[in-house]
């Protein structure tokens, strides 16, 4: 077993003499957790009913479930239910990761100590999937970077604070662990994730905030006190000399500017005089009396909020989307998980009372994400979001949404058989791949009605009666390559043979076991609802 829940304190156990740890009991506990996780996952795969409840049983095992879920997620391509197994093991594993991330921000909200690196690595947990880069792996990577700097610069332990800062910043820039490549877009989404920045070996991919966070974390490991500075529009690092010395390492009892200086590890390995920053603030029209607020240490919560806003800006600027709505794509990190992380961060860590009240505006987007993509997170909404709205009208909205979601998950699906009427009028099957004749997107059929069963208002809005066959033709529920779910008239279904788009293949596991090359269709995993398809 590689991954362990924190309560095991496994690092301490590894360091102890073997006889002092009951390894047999520990193995038995993990073995039982492994079996229970696999058993509940099999139940999730076998029925559409009770998936939330079974996922919550797995989540109760915490990080002890991760090894098991990874094993199922990395199942052979030849597995009979490869798409479904990968989809649902990834869905539950994602909830495991997000639970850990949210708990870090809740601790920060409650005033408990949370390191900057963990608070920022929490964002990575929303887009992690089966990749490396969890909270501990991020810290281990930072340990490794610090050790490499120490090995290459054995004199660093005796260097002055200024010299240490220059050595560290220079190394990070040379190894492309800070900064952004000149030929890449500044607002690329991946530039806001500390875990991704630490794993990027081909090009620098760290915004100023992430660059400063990496610099501060590595500096702390090398005996240099460095903190993020809450400057306007750009993050700098503050280098602080130890008690009794100035920034150049000379003995000094003066606790003035000589005890601290600034660096911009995003751009350079040189110090930035405070006077330069004050001049910038003055040019922005900020009064001198307010300068200290911009030149002092930024709180960890503020760094989390700024990262969340950077993520939203990246999504809006690079995907040309607005009002927090997004289009899905297949690159990493995917924007839906990234936006979801930003919404959680801003909800849990409001800047002030006004921001706390305004947090309700994030609810519709969060709930939309939960209903469409993160159904296993319903308990997170109950545990961590709902209490924030105690006594407000939004609490009842949350409760109603939760009730509807849980009720839908616990109820058996209505069975639709291909009786004579359906056999005659419904010409396409669940699992068939198609392209929309008018809008040209690719999708897969996940359900059908003999004729349009939508509300009259939708029929009117969509102009259904203006179609050549109107409402009296078969309509199909479909899953589209952009992750949307749509309702399509039969006359718009073009089933000309085609290759499956990569994005659709990864989504298909929600409803299907696998793709069959012979029949050129997806094999249904929703036989309880459509037994004849």
């Amino acid at each position: 077993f590689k991954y362990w829940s924190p309560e095991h304190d496994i690092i301490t156990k590894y360091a102890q003499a073997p006889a002092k740890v009951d390894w047999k009991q520990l193995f038995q506990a993990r073995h039982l957790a492994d079996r229970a996780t696999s058993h509940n996952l099999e139940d999730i795969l076998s029925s559409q009913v009770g998936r939330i409840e079974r996922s919550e049983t797995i989540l109760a095992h915490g990080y002890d479930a991760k090894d098991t879920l990874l094993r199922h997620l990395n199942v052979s391509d030849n597995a009979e239910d490869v798409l479904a197994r990968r989809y649902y093991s990834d869905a539950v594993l994602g909830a495991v990761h997000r639970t850990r991330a949210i708990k870090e921000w809740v601790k920060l909200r409650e005033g408990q100590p949370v390191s900057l690196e963990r608070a920022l690595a929490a964002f990575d947990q929303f887009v992690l999937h089966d990749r490396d880069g969890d909270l501990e792996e991020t810290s281990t990577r930072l340990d490794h970077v610090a050790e490499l700097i120490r090995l290459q610069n054995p004199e660093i332990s005796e260097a002055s604070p200024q010299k240490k800062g220059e050595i560290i910043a220079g190394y990070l820039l040379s190894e492309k662990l800070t900064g952004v490549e000149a030929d890449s877009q500044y607002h690329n989404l991946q530039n806001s994730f500390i875990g991704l920045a630490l794993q990027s070996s081909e090009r620098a991919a760290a915004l100023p905030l992430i660059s400063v966070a990496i610099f501060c974390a590595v500096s702390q490991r090398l005996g240099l006190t460095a903190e993020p500075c809450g400057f306007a529009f750009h993050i700098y690092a503050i280098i602080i000399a130890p008690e009794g010395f100035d920034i150049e390492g000379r003995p000094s009892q003066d606790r003035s500017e000589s005890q601290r200086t600034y660096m911009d590890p995003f751009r350079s390995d040189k110090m930035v005089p405070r006077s330069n920053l004050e001049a910038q603030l003055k040019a922005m029209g900020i009064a001198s009396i307010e300068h200290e607020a911009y030149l002092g240490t930024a709180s960890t919560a503020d760094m989390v909020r700024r990262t969340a806003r950077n993520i939203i800006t990246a999504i809006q600027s690079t995907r040309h989307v607005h009002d927090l709505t997004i289009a899905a794509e297949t690159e990493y990190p995917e924007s839906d998980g990234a936006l979801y992380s930003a919404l959680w961060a801003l909800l849990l860590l409001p800047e002030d009372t006004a921001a706390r009240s305004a947090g309700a505006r994030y609810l519709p987007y969060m709930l939309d994400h939960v209903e469409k993509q993160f159904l296993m997170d319903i308990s997170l909404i109950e545990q961590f979001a709902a209490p924030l709205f105690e006594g407000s009208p939004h609490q009842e909205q949350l409760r109603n949404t939760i009730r509807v979601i849980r009720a839908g998950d616990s109820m058996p699906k209505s069975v639709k058989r291909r009786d004579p009427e359906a056999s005659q009028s419904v010409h396409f099957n669940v699992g068939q791949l198609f392209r929309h004749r008018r809008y040209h997107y690719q999708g897969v059929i996940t359900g059908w009605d003999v004729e349009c069963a939508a509300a009259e208002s939708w029929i009117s809005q969509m102009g259904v009666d203006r179609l050549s066959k109107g409402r009296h033709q078969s309509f199909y529920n479909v899953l589209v390559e952009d992750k949307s779910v749509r309702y399509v008239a039969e006359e718009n279904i073009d089933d000309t043979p085609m290759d499956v788009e990569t994005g659709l293949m990864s989504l298909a596991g929600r409803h299907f076991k696998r793709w069959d090359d012979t029949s050129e269709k997806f094999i249904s995993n929703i036989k309880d609802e459509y037994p004849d398809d």
Side-chain angles (χ1 to χ4, degrees):
F1 297 109
K2 178 179 178 181
Y3 297 101
W4 298 81
S5 289
E7 58 266 23
H8 293 301
D9 193 17
I10 196 65
I11 300 301
T12 300
K13 286 182 169 66
Y14 284 152
Q16 292 177 335
K20 290 189 173 295
V21 178
D22 190 345
W23 291 106
K24 181 178 180 180
Q25 186 277 331
L26 194 58
F27 173 78
Q28 288 176 333
R30 284 302 306 269
H31 179 63
L32 290 174
D34 179 87
R35 288 182 59 186
T37 298
S38 290
H39 176 75
N40 280 283
L41 183 62
E42 295 299 333
D43 286 345
I44 289 172
L45 294 173
S46 65
S47 173
Q48 295 188 78
V49 179
R51 282 173 169 163
I52 292 176
E53 182 179 351
R54 291 183 177 96
S55 72
E56 288 170 346
T57 303
I58 296 175
L59 291 176
H61 294 291
Y63 229 47
D64 285 353
K66 180 167 180 173
D67 286 302
T68 312
L69 292 169
L70 282 173
R71 188 171 70 247
H72 289 281
L73 180 52
N74 292 304
V75 68
S76 166
D77 291 341
N78 298 320
E80 186 268 341
D81 57 358
V82 55
L83 296 181
R85 190 167 297 275
R86 286 177 177 171
Y87 180 89
Y88 283 104
S89 56
D90 181 61
V92 181
L93 179 60
V96 171
H97 288 147
R98 292 187 292 272
T99 300
R100 297 192 81 207
I102 289 168
K103 285 182 177 179
E104 291 295 317
W105 291 336
V106 168
K107 286 194 291 186
L108 195 58
R109 176 188 177 91
E110 294 174 346
Q112 299 180 47
V114 178
S115 68
L116 179 59
E117 66 196 59
R118 285 181 73 89
L120 296 184
F123 286 100
D124 289 80
Q125 309 317 298
F126 284 75
V127 297
L128 194 59
H129 301 286
D130 62 343
R131 298 171 174 87
D132 291 337
D134 70 7
L135 300 176
E136 288 73 28
E137 286 163 344
T138 297
S139 293
T140 298
R141 175 63 175 150
L142 289 165
D143 291 341
H144 179 66
V145 171
E147 186 58 28
L148 289 175
I149 294 175
R150 186 181 285 110
L151 290 172
Q152 290 187 21
N153 302 273
E155 77 286 355
I156 194 170
S157 60
E158 304 300 324
S160 68
Q162 178 173 326
K163 184 62 176 176
K164 283 182 180 178
E166 292 172 347
I167 291 172
I168 295 167
Y171 177 88
L172 296 176
L173 283 166
S174 69
E175 295 298 314
K176 299 184 178 181
L177 294 169
T178 53
V180 171
E181 290 292 304
D183 61 350
S184 66
Q185 293 186 8
Y186 180 86
H187 285 300
N188 274 358
L189 185 55
Q190 72 178 73
N191 298 345
S192 290
F193 291 87
I194 190 171
L196 291 182
L198 289 168
Q199 294 177 54
S200 177
S201 58
E202 297 181 358
R203 68 180 189 88
L207 287 181
L209 190 154
I210 299 300
S211 296
V212 166
I214 292 172
F215 174 81
C216 291
V218 173
S219 295
Q220 182 264 331
R221 288 161 166 79
L222 293 170
L224 175 65
T225 301
E227 300 171 345
C229 168
F231 198 73
F233 306 114
H234 192 82
I235 299 291
Y236 292 86
I238 307 173
I239 308 297
I240 303 173
E243 188 79 29
F245 294 89
D246 67 12
I247 204 69
E248 295 181 0
R250 298 172 300 204
S252 173
Q253 297 305 316
D254 180 15
R255 299 304 294 171
S256 64
E257 282 188 35
S258 65
Q259 259 58 52
R260 60 174 56 203
T261 189
Y262 297 83
M263 288 196 76
D264 183 5
F266 174 76
R267 297 192 182 105
S268 169
D269 61 353
K270 303 303 180 186
M271 298 295 155
V272 178
R274 180 185 172 103
S275 57
N276 286 13
L277 301 183
E278 289 176 332
Q280 290 183 48
L281 292 172
K282 186 176 181 181
M284 294 177 198
I286 298 173
S288 299
I289 195 171
E290 299 178 41
H291 285 190
E292 195 55 43
Y294 293 95
L295 296 173
T297 300
S299 70
T300 299
D302 187 50
M303 294 286 277
V304 170
R305 285 189 291 269
R306 290 177 76 153
T307 299
R309 290 193 286 267
N310 286 342
I311 288 171
I312 292 174
T313 297
I315 293 170
Q316 291 177 333
S317 64
T318 62
R319 306 298 166 218
H320 307 290
V321 294
H322 305 280
D323 300 326
L324 300 182
T325 59
I326 58 172
E329 62 291 303
T330 57
E331 72 232 32
Y332 181 69
E334 74 280 4
S335 57
D336 51 359
L339 176 57
Y340 190 49
S341 73
L343 295 176
W344 266 108
L346 293 172
L347 182 70
L348 292 172
L349 296 168
E351 195 160 6
D352 49 34
T353 304
R356 186 176 296 112
S357 300
R361 65 192 172 102
Y362 303 129
L363 276 180
Y365 304 106
M366 290 183 65
L367 293 175
D368 183 65
H369 275 62
V370 170
E371 289 187 70
K372 291 180 178 177
Q373 299 183 58
F374 304 111
L375 202 59
M376 309 308 184
D377 283 15
I378 197 67
S379 61
L380 297 179
I381 296 291
E382 288 175 316
Q383 186 176 356
F384 299 112
L388 302 179
F389 299 96
E390 190 75 40
S392 78
H394 303 292
Q395 187 179 45
E396 190 57 31
Q397 174 197 358
L398 270 174
R399 286 175 175 168
N400 288 336
T401 301
I402 291 168
R403 278 196 293 267
V404 169
I405 291 174
R406 286 197 177 277
D409 180 68
S410 63
M411 292 172 56
K413 305 297 181 183
S414 299
V415 179
K416 285 197 169 183
R417 314 263 352 185
R418 283 190 174 265
D419 56 26
E421 181 186 8
S423 298
Q424 184 176 1
S425 59
V426 180
H427 298 116
F428 300 110
N429 295 295
V430 168
Q432 268 190 268
L433 194 64
F434 75 96
R435 193 167 296 281
H436 196 282
R437 293 187 184 277
R438 181 176 180 185
Y439 298 116
H440 310 297
Y441 60 73
Q442 187 182 85
V444 58
I445 294 171
T446 61
W448 48 259
D449 293 306
V450 172
E451 58 181 41
C452 187
E456 196 65 37
S457 58
W458 186 88
I459 291 174
S460 175
Q461 179 185 355
M462 302 304 294
V464 170
D465 290 328
R466 293 196 297 272
L467 294 171
S468 63
K469 297 182 181 179
R471 67 177 71 190
H472 301 298
Q473 60 178 309
S474 298
F475 271 71
Y476 298 86
N477 297 304
V478 304
L479 176 65
V480 181
E481 58 189 310
D482 67 356
K483 299 185 182 181
S484 63
V485 175
R486 307 188 189 189
Y487 197 45
V488 180
E490 182 165 290
E491 67 183 69
N492 284 322
I493 299 288
D494 178 4
D495 67 337
T496 302
M498 67 196 82
D499 293 330
V500 186
E501 300 288 348
T502 303
L504 186 60
M505 186 70 82
S506 63
L507 295 172
R510 183 171 184 174
H511 304 283
F512 304 103
K513 293 182 177 182
R514 66 185 185 279
W515 170 258
D516 183 69
D517 285 326
T518 303
S519 61
E520 294 187 321
K521 63 177 289 188
F522 288 99
I523 303 304
S524 175
N525 195 36
I526 51 175
K527 287 285 189 180
D528 52 341
E529 189 174 2
Y530 294 93
D532 303 324
D533 282 58

